[in-house]
Amino acid sequence: MSVNQQAHTGPPYGQPQPGYQGYQQPAYGGPSLPGVPQSQYGAYNGPMPGYQQPVPPQGSLRAPPTSGAPPPASGASHPSGHLAYSQFEHGDVQNGIPASAAPMQRPPASQPFLPGSAPTPVSQISTFQQYGPPPASVQQLRNHMAGMTIGSTAASAPPPAGLGYVSGSFSATGSGLHTPYSASQGAPPATVSEGLPLTQPPFPGHTVSTQRLPTQVPGFTPPPPSTGVGPSSYPPTTAAPRPPAMPGPPLPGQTVAGPPSSQPNHVSSPPPSTMAGLHPGPPMSGLHGPPPPTHPPQPGYPMQQNGSFGQMRGPQPNYGGAYPGAPNYGSPPGPPPPPKRLDPDSIPSPQLNELPPQQKPRHRIDPDAIPSPIQVIEDDRNNRGSEPFVTGVRGQVPPLVTTNFLVKDQGNASPRYIRCTSYNIPCTSDMAKQSQVPLAAVIKPLATLPPEETLPYLVDHGESGPVRCNRCKAYMCPFMQFIEGGRRFQCCFCSCVTEVPPHYFQHLDHTGKRVDFYDRPELSLGSYEFLATVDYCKNNKFPSPPAFIFMIDVSYNAVKSGLVRLICEELKSLLDYLPREGNMEESAIRVGFVTYNKVLHFYNVKSSLAQPQMMVVSDVADMFVPLLDGFLVNVNESRTVIASLLDQIPEMFADTRETETVFAPVIQAGLEALKAAECAGKLFIFHTSLPIAEAPGKLKNRDDRKLINTDKEKTLFQPQTSFYNNLAKDCVAQGCCVDLFLFPNQYLDVATLGVVPYQTGGSIYKYAYFQLETDQYRFLNDLRRDVQKEVGFDAVMRVRTSTGIRATDFFGAFYMSNTTDVEMAGLDCDKTITVEFKHDDKLSEDSGALLQCALLYTSCAGQRRLRIHNLSLNCCTQLADLYRNCETDTLINYLAKYAYRGVLSSPVKTVRDSLINQCAQILACYRKNCASPSSAGQLILPECMKLLPVYLNCVLKSDVLQPGPEVTTDDRAYIRQLVTSMDVAETNVFFYPRLLPLTKADVDSDSLPAAIRNSEERLSKGDIYLLENGLNVFVWVGVSVQQSLIQNLFGVSSFSQISNALSTLPVLENPFSKKVRSIVDMLQGQRSRYMKLIIVKQEDKLEMLFKHFLVEDKSLSGGASYVDFLCHMHKEIRQLLS
């Protein structure tokens, strides 16, 4: 691509952390801690029923937090369970910068900042603190960071300050070099910014350079000299003339006022009037002295709306400008937080050598100037959404998962089945190690295809079965080479030559292709199925059709909540929709029923009975199935008996007083029933409480939040007993898959109960504090989809590769008894298996690399099949080719799964550090080997990885790796298991949620409104927004929304009457209501789980939960904002390069 075009933006990747379905959410209220003033929002101060009260971090609160509670102030003790991170200190821009277009650097997630410790020199380019002690002598940081220009093209002359995109490049109006201060050190100084020359990356890379113009702003009074910061020196900036420094005499105890850079991002700074004096901000909390003096801005630099100087930036496509509404959401602005502690970001400048450090100017990076996920997604849709993706060419990078496109299979598997982290892999292991880019494939073998694409053809070779290589046993595929006139073929995986069986022989044409090439799916397509012969079956006999067993908890909680009656009512109709083969009239699947509390009740529903019969097994220590005939039945034959049973169960247990439950014996019972029937199948278990009754697999309550951030935190994710691992192994051997529906009102130990569903390839659904009125719709939708979806039983998957690489590591919901075979009792259309490859030899650029994924499974009709997916990749000897062909969404999917597995064996902090380090190495290798030489102050990102920092930050801030105070141990274990088998589209929206302005939707068209970035400053209080992350759908309503819109959407006349308890939007006959409901239905249809609808009114207590998903902002739990993280990442890269 020509360097003068604006670089095409890379894929979106990371989704926000879930506020998981029905989880306990923070009440943000309750008794205030000593030293913590009540928050500005009255609404946050009331306790909220059903929500656990978080312990807010100590330290002074700042104006309404934009996305999370303030972190501890610099000398404050950290309450237990809180990360001692100061990277989100108050003096900094708290997600105060609009989200950006250039990726941000990543904090080394480590070294908690120790107040008072001797700072060591670290060059850091961000507001990050916690990560790494501050520099002792800023002198050593000389020439350290000339700044951050963002540009993917050369600009002949520096553009005027702050204009939007100039000829395909971005100019950053401010840098992220925020100087931090400790509470004793005075406030941060103001900043000046000016147009910066843009640099040009070698091949379309993305440069971000933050240039800092040192100036002394008149009116700044230096703080007392005793602040303990040595003299500092700044490298001279080449970009702009330097305004003269004007030192003022220090007045002890005097505070300094800069532009209110520490305001939350929804507080608009004073309007940009060029010469007007700046209004003094409220006194900084934590500092003594008179109110800050006002000072006029530097002549010639108009104020920028986001608090730094420079011309105002035009809005980016699809984004509203900075908050149209009044400051602070209409509540009075609170005092800005105390200034930040000292931080390695103090970047030296010679002019300021003699000045006390507080007077150093600060710049902000303009968030519109750093890579925007929305822009990248939009560009990919426009560039690649119209043409079909034809898979005939080796090593093609597919369109992003967020783009709607058609696939034409011409020899490589569709990206719906396999996506890779890179489509051009290094020829040698040394090159792979140097780049640190993981080579992985995310495989979804039974993925659902859109109606306009053809399902894989089923090929039947009769009794001889599929044709395979003699040596490596690879299946016939388009890459096999026929030789000797078609009598033999050479394997593309191991090069062995195999005789073609006589029945399979066919002549070759003049190009060496078989003349029946287009008639045989296995010779011309990337994905197809073979009918398996009896040799591929257990015990060499064809399997029976599978069975579904419904196992219902009938303890007091389940009955009292109305759950038992709800399940029984639903099953009456749902049993007519069991999965079936294409043209079959009825499903071949048989069904059975069990209820349980401390004992198990089995039901005989044989068609010849007038009434169902119940048999009780109270010896749970030695589980057996008391009946064989009549337990598993055909739905149509036993319809009346089943209906009678489902009517009777709720009545039988209506007066139960039994609160205790068993769990392991329930799975054992299902397993024994399937063994006796000699078939595979699935158990649907509906369970409400921790199994504390005397029985095998009995558990104790071991929930302990005090373990968070200790070396023992990993035990929270591990099962508390090995009993369930052994049980899972037995289930997999029988083909018994477990789907678990949980309805907890307290700790349930998901980490242990989830072991069997996880290792058998099953699913877990969790509905905390289940309430019939609000949760039944979501539960029933999940149950219907779970029962009806396509599933393969007794599945084994193996991935073969051509010589030079091999599959070494696997992630997902499965069991492995050896190093090559992935075994799953059940595999459904939503599950993915992620495979990592390593080199074991050299690869050649000519032949490329091949993958073949073979899945052996039993269909829902009892047919044994093989599904084959083939993919060919390019190989390269130049690192630049590797970086041009990466897929960031897939990379993030792999990194999240790698990290989420890491927490089982390592402290969370170690896992975070290694993630940051790996990504810094990936980007540093690109900078060193692929980018043209440029100043160290520039952050240069590969074009297709420019979103790596923003998405990586989302993973680091997720509840598994950085939990807020309201996230329960069960939530974390649940999310950890969920993400491990997500596909790339699901992790994309999960880590970086989709945010849509509903008020901008065109009611006359089918299209969605253009998405906006996940930051609070993109919200306007006169609008309504929808945010979805695959688990929840939030509808956020601003306080100033027009009354007519509220009437049209909610059917009430004012903002105050909108109910938070709605679980679905009311059906109203007007265009706006229809449009919004159609958008919600469309999004629900794209997700594998039914998302919980949560109505959030601005300034309401639920708003804190909503802000948790505005992932470009700082998070309540201590996660960095995108801009801060980008700066941190830059610092990490520079340390690696130096």
Side-chain angles (χ1 to χ4, degrees):
M1 115 184 220
S2 125
V3 216
N4 295 326
Q5 297 166 345
Q6 176 169 337
H8 147 72
T9 32
Y13 310 103
Q15 281 119 263
Q17 308 98 282
Y20 317 120
Q21 282 114 276
Y23 286 17
Q24 294 156 285
Q25 263 101 24
Y28 303 99
S32 54
L33 293 176
V36 183
Q38 287 290 345
S39 103
Q40 313 299 334
Y41 292 157
Y44 286 171
N45 287 331
M48 178 156 180
Y51 289 146
Q52 203 173 287
Q53 220 51 17
V55 185
Q58 276 150 347
S60 30
L61 269 179
R62 79 174 356 208
T66 50
S67 121
S74 93
S77 61
H78 302 278
S80 79
H82 277 273
L83 305 174
Y85 285 179
S86 54
Q87 90 249 40
F88 313 108
E89 265 315 340
H90 320 321
D92 236 309
V93 202
Q94 226 195 309
N95 34 339
I97 354 204
S100 348
M104 197 138 153
Q105 254 120 332
R106 169 89 112 296
S110 62
Q111 304 134 286
F113 173 77
L114 306 171
S117 61
T120 46
V122 180
S123 76
Q124 174 159 322
I125 169 185
S126 81
T127 54
F128 282 91
Q129 186 108 10
Q130 151 234 352
Y131 299 167
S137 130
V138 227
Q139 213 85 4
Q140 301 176 14
L141 293 175
R142 179 168 320 233
N143 308 335
H144 217 197
M145 163 106 203
M148 245 167 158
T149 336
I150 308 187
S152 20
T153 38
S156 48
L163 298 180
Y165 294 114
V166 186
S167 67
S169 58
F170 316 93
S171 97
T173 30
S175 79
L177 322 180
H178 311 317
T179 332
Y181 300 90
S182 56
S184 62
Q185 282 174 351
T191 56
V192 187
S193 99
E194 162 130 280
L196 309 168
L198 297 161
T199 53
Q200 148 186 2
F203 59 85
H206 211 71
T207 345
V208 185
S209 129
T210 49
Q211 297 266 10
R212 186 175 176 90
L213 306 182
T215 58
Q216 166 58 35
V217 184
F220 262 1
T221 359
S226 60
T227 52
V229 185
S232 68
S233 62
Y234 270 54
T237 21
T238 47
R242 193 191 311 284
M246 309 184 183
L251 294 175
Q254 173 87 34
T255 48
V256 196
S261 52
S262 57
Q263 290 178 178
N265 54 19
H266 51 249
V267 186
S268 353
S269 317
S273 57
T274 322
M275 282 305 191
L278 189 53
H279 312 305
M284 298 281 189
S285 40
L287 297 176
H288 313 292
T294 62
H295 50 273
Q298 283 293 329
Y301 299 110
M303 269 273 306
Q304 205 174 300
Q305 190 137 1
N306 64 4
S308 61
F309 291 86
Q311 283 172 312
M312 268 196 61
R313 228 172 204 306
Q316 233 181 294
N318 310 343
Y319 305 146
Y323 232 62
N328 228 9
Y329 279 161
S331 39
K340 246 182 87 77
R341 292 182 253 175
L342 175 65
D343 179 74
D345 302 325
S346 338
I347 309 297
S349 149
Q351 299 276 100
L352 297 183
N353 243 347
E354 294 67 89
L355 301 177
Q358 286 73 354
Q359 282 162 241
K360 282 187 258 163
R362 331 178 354 143
H363 276 206
R364 298 220 185 166
I365 293 180
D366 174 358
D368 283 338
I370 59 180
S372 155
I374 303 302
Q375 193 61 53
V376 171
I377 291 170
E378 201 52 46
D379 290 348
D380 193 76
R381 278 194 187 131
N382 296 337
N383 297 336
R384 307 198 62 184
S386 49
E387 292 294 308
F389 178 68
V390 181
T391 71
V393 182
R394 182 174 87 188
Q396 276 186 112
V397 182
L400 301 184
V401 283
T402 43
T403 299
N404 282 328
F405 58 97
L406 267 184
V407 180
K408 289 197 171 156
D409 184 343
Q410 291 192 359
N412 281 294
S414 159
R416 303 190 205 287
Y417 294 124
I418 306 184
R419 273 185 181 265
C420 293
T421 52
S422 178
Y423 288 80
N424 200 334
I425 61 182
C427 282
T428 64
S429 60
D430 290 347
M431 191 171 153
K433 282 193 191 97
Q434 186 185 357
S435 73
Q436 287 285 313
V437 175
L439 305 175
V442 179
I443 305 174
K444 195 175 184 181
L446 298 179
T448 312
L449 299 183
E452 41 301 355
E453 292 178 21
T454 11
L455 292 169
Y457 288 101
L458 180 60
V459 179
D460 184 358
H461 282 315
E463 288 183 13
S464 58
V467 178
R468 304 176 68 175
C469 165
N470 272 345
R471 184 199 289 162
C472 70
K473 300 293 183 230
Y475 294 87
M476 179 54 65
C477 72
F479 312 119
M480 297 290 191
Q481 191 68 43
F482 286 88
I483 53 175
E484 296 178 22
R487 285 188 292 281
R488 302 167 122 203
F489 68 90
Q490 183 168 26
C491 177
C492 51
F493 294 95
C494 70
S495 304
C496 173
V497 174
T498 302
E499 293 283 333
V500 173
H503 71 89
Y504 198 69
F505 174 79
Q506 186 53 271
H507 295 285
L508 308 184
D509 66 11
H510 64 284
T511 63
K513 262 187 186 170
R514 284 174 53 125
V515 294
D516 62 351
F517 176 82
Y518 290 108
D519 304 331
R520 292 195 176 271
E522 73 274 20
L523 298 182
S524 52
L525 299 177
S527 301
Y528 42 87
E529 291 199 314
F530 290 121
L531 203 54
T533 59
V534 76
D535 307 335
Y536 292 86
C537 303
K538 256 188 205 160
N539 309 324
N540 279 359
K541 63 180 204 184
F542 285 112
S544 312
F548 281 3
I549 304 177
F550 297 91
M551 316 185 90
I552 306 167
D553 174 347
V554 288
S555 63
Y556 178 73
N557 275 345
V559 173
K560 184 190 66 170
S561 66
L563 181 62
V564 173
R565 186 174 299 278
L566 182 69
I567 293 168
C568 292
E569 277 306 310
E570 178 62 26
L571 286 179
K572 285 184 206 168
S573 56
L574 187 54
L575 294 176
D576 288 333
Y577 297 96
L578 298 177
R580 55 181 171 212
E581 287 301 314
N583 48 10
M584 292 174 57
E585 291 192 6
E586 63 173 51
S587 174
I589 293 172
R590 291 168 297 162
V591 297
F593 303 89
V594 171
T595 55
Y596 67 94
N597 38 46
K598 270 201 321 201
V599 298
L600 276 76
H601 323 106
F602 293 80
Y603 297 93
N604 183 343
V605 282
K606 200 171 171 179
S607 54
S608 55
L609 295 174
Q611 282 294 319
Q613 296 170 347
M614 176 163 99
M615 299 185 187
V616 180
V617 176
S618 49
D619 180 10
V620 289
D622 184 18
M623 187 44 64
F624 66 98
V625 178
L627 72 160
L628 286 181
D629 191 30
F631 179 63
L632 294 177
V633 295
N634 173 294
V635 175
N636 281 338
E637 291 169 9
S638 299
R639 184 174 296 280
T640 51
V641 195
I642 291 173
S644 165
L645 170 66
L646 294 172
D647 284 334
Q648 290 176 38
I649 287 175
E651 307 310 327
M652 271 191 288
F653 298 101
D655 302 321
T656 184
R657 285 282 166 267
E658 186 53 75
T659 54
E660 292 188 356
T661 57
V662 296
F663 184 70
V666 181
I667 297 176
Q668 287 171 326
L671 172 61
E672 293 302 322
L674 294 177
K675 270 187 190 165
E678 295 187 341
C679 69
K682 187 180 266 200
L683 313 181
F684 295 85
I685 303 179
F686 304 91
H687 190 78
T688 59
S689 58
L690 190 70
I692 52 172
E694 265 320 314
K698 169 186 174 179
L699 301 178
K700 58 181 192 295
N701 186 337
R702 53 158 187 168
D703 190 16
D704 187 1
R705 290 194 60 86
K706 290 198 289 296
L707 297 181
I708 293 180
N709 294 328
T710 67
D711 285 350
K712 288 191 175 162
E713 183 171 7
K714 57 180 181 250
T715 59
L716 297 175
F717 296 109
Q718 299 164 352
Q720 57 173 284
T721 154
S722 63
F723 182 86
Y724 288 95
N725 293 76
N726 298 327
L727 181 55
K729 186 176 167 183
D730 296 341
C731 287
V732 173
Q734 181 54 42
C736 167
C737 177
V738 178
D739 279 359
L740 181 57
F741 292 81
L742 295 171
F743 306 87
N745 289 334
Q746 56 201 25
Y747 177 72
L748 193 74
D749 203 349
V750 174
T752 306
L753 297 188
V755 167
V756 178
Y758 185 69
Q759 293 192 13
T760 57
S763 306
I764 305 180
Y765 297 85
K766 182 163 164 286
Y767 310 88
Y769 305 108
F770 178 81
Q771 290 181 315
L772 212 56
E773 342 34 279
T774 53
D775 296 317
Q776 69 166 346
Y777 197 63
R778 180 166 57 110
F779 161 59
L780 293 179
N781 272 285
D782 283 342
L783 176 60
R784 286 168 196 155
R785 192 167 188 283
D786 197 59
V787 167
Q788 295 173 39
K789 67 185 172 190
E790 183 189 355
V791 60
F793 294 95
D794 239 334
V796 182
M797 185 182 102
R798 181 175 284 194
V799 178
R800 293 179 173 84
T801 54
S802 53
T803 314
I805 53 169
R806 61 193 169 90
T808 54
D809 208 351
F810 300 85
F811 303 82
F814 52 74
Y815 173 78
M816 289 188 83
S817 55
N818 58 35
T819 56
T820 54
D821 295 338
V822 174
E823 300 173 48
M824 293 153 290
L827 172 69
D828 63 50
C829 55
D830 298 322
K831 295 283 185 303
T832 62
I833 293 96
T834 302
V835 185
E836 186 181 5
F837 303 98
K838 290 265 165 59
H839 286 77
D840 56 7
D841 203 346
K842 279 203 174 82
L843 294 165
S844 94
E845 282 188 278
D846 301 336
S847 52
L850 302 173
L851 318 177
Q852 183 178 79
C853 160
L855 176 78
L856 174 65
Y857 70 100
T858 302
S859 74
C860 54
Q863 202 176 50
R864 201 71 175 148
R865 294 182 178 181
L866 283 152
R867 180 169 287 201
I868 313 294
H869 298 296
N870 303 289
L871 186 62
S872 60
L873 303 173
N874 286 328
C875 296
C876 59
T877 51
Q878 299 297 316
L879 282 164
D881 291 328
L882 163 69
Y883 283 101
R884 273 196 198 98
N885 292 281
C886 288
E887 232 262 316
T888 306
D889 287 327
T890 311
L891 192 55
I892 288 291
N893 178 286
Y894 164 83
L895 290 171
K897 291 172 181 177
Y898 182 78
Y900 282 16
R901 185 177 67 183
V903 298
L904 292 173
S905 52
S906 309
V908 172
K909 179 180 158 308
T910 311
V911 173
R912 292 170 48 90
D913 289 353
S914 69
L915 262 187
I916 290 171
N917 184 40
Q918 180 167 5
C919 289
Q921 286 187 325
I922 291 172
L923 297 174
C925 173
Y926 171 80
R927 172 66 188 263
K928 182 176 173 187
N929 299 289
C930 309
S932 55
S934 57
S935 96
Q938 290 173 329
L939 170 59
I940 301 181
L941 301 164
E943 181 53 37
C944 66
M945 282 191 189
K946 63 186 180 192
L947 296 181
L948 186 60
V950 62
Y951 286 152
L952 182 67
N953 190 33
C954 296
V955 174
L956 290 169
K957 285 160 55 162
S958 63
D959 289 343
V960 173
L961 298 182
Q962 198 166 36
E966 76 288 356
V967 181
T968 67
T969 306
D970 275 347
D971 293 343
R972 296 177 75 197
Y974 174 63
I975 291 306
R976 196 191 75 75
Q977 293 202 7
L978 212 54
V979 168
T980 306
S981 43
M982 276 186 184
D983 70 12
V984 179
E986 288 171 317
T987 50
N988 174 272
V989 78
F990 179 78
F991 289 115
Y992 192 94
R994 174 147 56 162
L995 181 59
L996 305 172
L998 294 178
T999 23
K1000 306 262 190 307
D1002 177 358
V1003 293
D1004 301 321
S1005 90
D1006 292 338
S1007 61
L1008 290 173
I1012 59 173
R1013 290 169 64 171
N1014 283 198
S1015 171
E1016 186 173 351
E1017 55 183 15
R1018 305 281 173 182
L1019 305 181
S1020 147
K1021 62 179 187 176
D1023 287 323
I1024 301 175
Y1025 297 87
L1026 178 147
L1027 181 144
E1028 62 125 357
N1029 75 334
L1031 295 183
N1032 300 303
V1033 177
F1034 293 91
V1035 174
W1036 182 92
V1037 187
V1039 284
S1040 314
V1041 171
Q1042 291 171 11
Q1043 188 258 328
S1044 60
L1045 284 176
I1046 291 176
Q1047 183 69 53
N1048 284 343
L1049 189 56
F1050 299 102
V1052 295
S1053 54
S1054 71
F1055 179 80
S1056 58
Q1057 292 174 303
I1058 299 171
S1059 161
N1060 283 23
L1062 292 175
S1063 58
T1064 53
L1065 290 168
V1067 178
L1068 303 172
E1069 286 304 314
N1070 65 71
F1072 185 59
S1073 171
K1074 285 179 183 164
K1075 177 67 182 173
V1076 172
R1077 282 181 289 115
S1078 79
I1079 290 175
V1080 172
D1081 291 345
M1082 182 177 140
L1083 298 179
Q1084 293 284 19
Q1086 292 172 2
R1087 305 292 167 221
S1088 60
R1089 288 165 183 251
Y1090 195 83
M1091 297 184 282
K1092 179 178 187 173
L1093 180 75
I1094 302 172
I1095 307 292
V1096 179
K1097 291 152 70 174
Q1098 187 178 341
E1099 296 175 14
D1100 186 57
K1101 29 188 182 297
L1102 272 174
E1103 198 183 27
M1104 289 311 261
L1105 174 66
F1106 172 75
K1107 287 178 182 176
H1108 179 63
F1109 298 96
L1110 298 176
V1111 291
E1112 290 197 16
D1113 297 341
K1114 288 186 177 159
S1115 72
L1116 187 74
S1117 52
S1121 71
Y1122 175 19
V1123 172
D1124 291 351
F1125 186 67
L1126 191 54
C1127 294
H1128 179 78
M1129 206 58 184
H1130 188 182
K1131 185 207 121 198
E1132 288 288 301
I1133 293 168
R1134 294 186 48 183
Q1135 281 186 332
L1136 289 170
L1137 293 175
S1138 58

